[in-house]
Amino acid sequence: DYIKIAVEIDGKMYAGFVMARYLTTFTGAVFDSRISYNTPDHAGVVLRKDGTYYSESIMVVPEGTDIRVIQIPNENGYLPVDVFYNGEIFSGYVLEKYVESKN
């Protein structure tokens, strides 16, 4: 199985895929943003596989969930993010208008 990842090296972001067997879970990641508490019907936001409305849904991210923004939004207003949920990290895209800084 391959997993989509994003890493920052010397201030430059890289994204790609690696084999899952070469990865380990760690808790040192900085998740400095979160899903807004002002989502439609307060139900959360859909994390999508690609940065479009028609892309496959990975999960619904509850309001207040910690996320890490990977880079600027695409032309559709979707941000590539990592989501920290139930002790796991999920990667995908969410609408920028439902993301807020925790600072």
Side-chain angles (χ1 to χ4, degrees):
D1 288 352
Y2 285 85
I3 296 176
K4 183 178 180 181
I5 65 163
V7 296
E8 182 177 352
I9 300 172
D10 295 329
K12 186 172 181 182
M13 293 300 298
Y14 297 88
F17 294 86
V18 296
M19 292 183 77
R21 68 179 179 211
Y22 296 118
L23 298 176
T24 59
T25 303
F26 67 99
T27 59
V30 177
F31 288 81
D32 57 358
S33 296
R34 68 175 159 233
I35 296 300
S36 170
Y37 284 94
N38 190 25
T39 64
D41 300 324
H42 301 287
V45 173
V46 175
L47 179 69
R48 298 193 178 278
K49 185 175 179 182
D50 296 305
T52 68
Y53 176 80
Y54 300 102
S55 177
E56 178 182 341
S57 171
I58 297 171
M59 66 183 287
V60 174
V61 184
E63 290 180 328
T65 301
D66 291 342
I67 64 172
R68 174 178 46 206
V69 175
I70 305 301
Q71 64 189 68
I72 62 171
N74 66 16
E75 65 277 357
N76 298 319
Y78 281 84
L79 282 169
V81 299
D82 291 331
V83 175
F84 186 68
Y85 183 71
N86 282 344
E88 293 187 56
I89 298 175
F90 300 87
S91 296
Y93 293 79
V94 296
L95 276 170
E96 176 188 26
K97 67 182 179 178
Y98 298 119
V99 173
E100 61 186 28
S101 174
K102 291 184 351 184
N103 300 329

